[in-house]
Structure formats: structure tokens, C-alpha cells
Amino acid sequence: MTPNRMAEIHAAAFAETGDPWPEAELAAMLARPLIHPVVLDDDGFALLQILPPEAEILTLAVDPRAQGRGRGAALLARAIALARNAGAEVMFLEVAADNSRARALYARAGFGQSGLRRGYYARADAPFVDALTLTLSLGAAKIGTACES
């Protein structure tokens, strides 16, 4: 998947938040050796940073036209498997407190809240939103459950 397509998906998936990542930023991230893309067909992707024993999901985005069909769960399952295979023992991420769909996806996979960053995400014409830091022990990941969503 090209950085241009990733930028299109990210812009559509995060249109409500007003914080999409531009093509140049995505291309620069993909050039880093610790960044690992996880791609699902042409309608979704995740970017992971893996530095064992830790892995971080930097972003996970599914084209809104493909949402609601288990695409996010499939991406998450692939990301978890990739991190495990690379030697990571724990995975973490940040998610906006108001992103209920993403929070539900991560909860089904076994992620739990490990931190809070108040007022982390800016919103257009709205108050800032807290970021929840979520963590998953990769030995306890619910891969099958995440794939069934």
C-alpha cells in the first residue's frame, strides 16, 4: 500500500477528529527501520513500532466504506501476531477517550487501560479529549476474539 493510499484512508477514518496524518509524514515513518506496516487489502492499515520487548500501535485505520465488517479486528490480530513474532512481550497504544468503536475493539482483544493523558487530542470546534493508554500482555492476547469482531 502506498503512503498516498494510507493518507487517504487515514484522512477518511479520522475526518471527525481533524487530525489525519499527511502522505509525507506516513512516507517518512515507513522509511524508519523500527516501523512495521500491517496492511489489509486496500482498505486498512496499521503502523507498529517494534523494539522488543515492547511494541506500539502508532495508528490503525480502516476506510469508513469498509468499516463494520471485522477489518479493524483483522488488522489488530495481524499486528499482535507480527509483534509477537518479532519478540515483543507487551503492546501498547493511545486511543481517544471518545472513540468508543476503537475502545471496544481493543477491549475485545484484551487491552486494559494503563494510563491517561488529559486533554491530549485536539478537536475542531470542541474541547480537547483525553487519551487513554492501553496495554496488552502479548501472552494474554485474545487473538481469536479480535478476529471474530
Side-chain angles (χ1 to χ4, degrees), residues 122-144:
R123 295 289 190 252
D125 302 321
F128 280 73
V129 174
D130 294 343
L132 307 177
T133 303
L134 305 181
T135 306
L136 174 69
S137 168
L138 293 180
K142 300 176 186 177
I143 297 288

Side-chain angles (χ1 to χ4, degrees), residues 13-14 16-17 67 95-108 123 129-130 132 134:
F14 292 94
E16 293 180 14
T17 66
Q67 290 179 1
V95 63
D98 63 353
N99 191 340
S100 59
R101 288 181 74 174
R103 290 178 59 194
L105 170 70
Y106 297 131
R108 284 190 303 271
R123 295 289 190 252
V129 174
D130 294 343
L132 307 177
L134 305 181

Side-chain angles (χ1 to χ4, degrees), residues 1-9 23 26:
M1 180 179 294
T2 66
N4 180 54
R5 179 64 182 134
M6 288 178 168
E8 289 172 356
I9 292 170
E23 179 182 354
L26 289 162

Side-chain angles (χ1 to χ4, degrees), residues 5-66:
R5 179 64 182 134
M6 288 178 168
E8 289 172 356
I9 292 170
H10 208 268
F14 292 94
E16 293 180 14
T17 66
D19 194 25
W21 292 1
E23 179 182 354
E25 185 174 341
L26 289 162
M29 291 182 85
L30 289 168
R32 297 181 192 161
L34 298 178
I35 303 299
H36 303 270
V38 177
V39 176
L40 184 65
D41 302 322
D42 195 43
D43 57 14
F45 73 96
L47 293 179
L48 282 73
Q49 179 170 272
I50 303 174
L51 186 60
E54 296 182 340
E56 178 181 7
I57 295 178
L58 302 173
T59 193
L60 188 150
V62 174
D63 189 318
R65 297 171 292 192

